[in-house]
Amino acid sequence: MVGGIETTKNSYYVPVSLSIGNKYYNGSDWTTTATKFNVSLEISKTTKLSWDFINVKDEFDYTSGVGLSGYKINIPTLLAGELKLIIYCPQRYYVSTAEGGAAYGQGVTRLQSFIPTHCIIKGLELNSGSPYNPLKVDIQEDTKYENVVNESYINPLDDITFKITSKNDSGLSFSKVIYNNGLLDKLTSNIDSTAHKPEEYMIKRIVDQYNQPKIKLTQIIKPDILPYSIITDSYLSGKTFLFTGGSVDYEDNRLEGSMIEIK
């Protein structure tokens, strides 16, 4: 901080304005009213107020478990929008003589500009830490859905990776979608005009596919079939099949295809 007269070093701070979308941080909570909050500086007896880098007071300790340092800003809910940070010239609290001739030291606390002509900022960073995993700062694993069942009655499926998952109590993850300033919860199907969580659609699809026994058919035919073709077999009256894949032998002009019964 440069340009001011160095007076008593007491209670120096930096006014800051932080907004995300239409929400402003006021030092303890988020509000829709434009406001500032004060970031305290670490001032000691040996601190030089001119041409000296001064740190902000560290509000983190080992109990937070987040592995960060500096001024702590709580974000208890989802915020979406443009992030804007404004840093103002440093200021200080001071005690002035009250009107009416009161003795010095018995006055009122007021805000007063620190008088610097400019200030130099070093090492400014905005970092985040997840309270859902306080012992790990870097979380590179998505939400996992698991269920324990009797393995003698099942054939386990391969792991399914969702591109989109719904709002739940597991916190943010790579597959969650921010929609209308909130987390997307349900998807609407134009086929049956229903709205369900993406995970529910997947479970319903699997249950509908395997809740009744179906015939799996393998045939060697000419490669005239399309991936979405509906197939019938003259020897299996009343049954229809969906082509699910296969291999083509172009030299012999034949396709060995797998088909699953449609119910």
Side-chain angles (χ1 to χ4, degrees), residues 41-94:
L41 301 176
E42 288 184 343
I43 303 294
S44 66
K45 293 181 179 180
T46 59
T47 302
K48 297 179 181 179
L49 296 182
S50 292
W51 296 107
D52 198 4
F53 289 110
I54 304 172
N55 296 323
V56 301
K57 287 187 176 180
D58 189 2
E59 297 187 349
F60 293 88
D61 56 26
Y62 72 94
T63 61
S64 64
V66 181
L68 300 175
S69 61
Y71 184 84
K72 181 166 61 177
I73 299 173
N74 295 315
I75 306 181
T77 185
L78 177 67
L79 297 176
E82 181 184 12
L83 186 148
K84 183 182 292 185
L85 177 69
I86 302 176
I87 302 176
Y88 298 88
C89 283
Q91 296 184 0
R92 67 182 176 92
Y93 292 103
Y94 80 107

Side-chain angles (χ1 to χ4, degrees), residues 11 18 34 47 82 90 93 142 144 150 170 173 179 183 189 203 207-208 220 223 241:
S11 301
L18 175 66
T47 302
E82 181 184 12
Y93 292 103
D142 210 337
K144 283 190 175 181
N150 189 337
S170 66
S173 64
Y179 180 73
L183 289 176
S189 171
I203 294 172
V207 170
D208 291 344
I220 297 177
F241 297 86

Side-chain angles (χ1 to χ4, degrees), residues 159-198:
D159 289 342
I160 298 173
T161 300
F162 287 96
K163 299 298 183 181
I164 297 176
T165 56
S166 62
K167 176 183 178 182
N168 52 48
D169 295 330
S170 66
L172 289 175
S173 64
F174 296 121
S175 57
K176 283 186 170 54
V177 176
I178 298 175
Y179 180 73
N180 287 339
N181 293 329
L183 289 176
L184 180 68
D185 189 32
K186 295 183 178 181
L187 298 177
T188 301
S189 171
N190 292 330
I191 299 176
D192 57 6
S193 299
T194 60
H196 297 287
K197 292 176 177 290

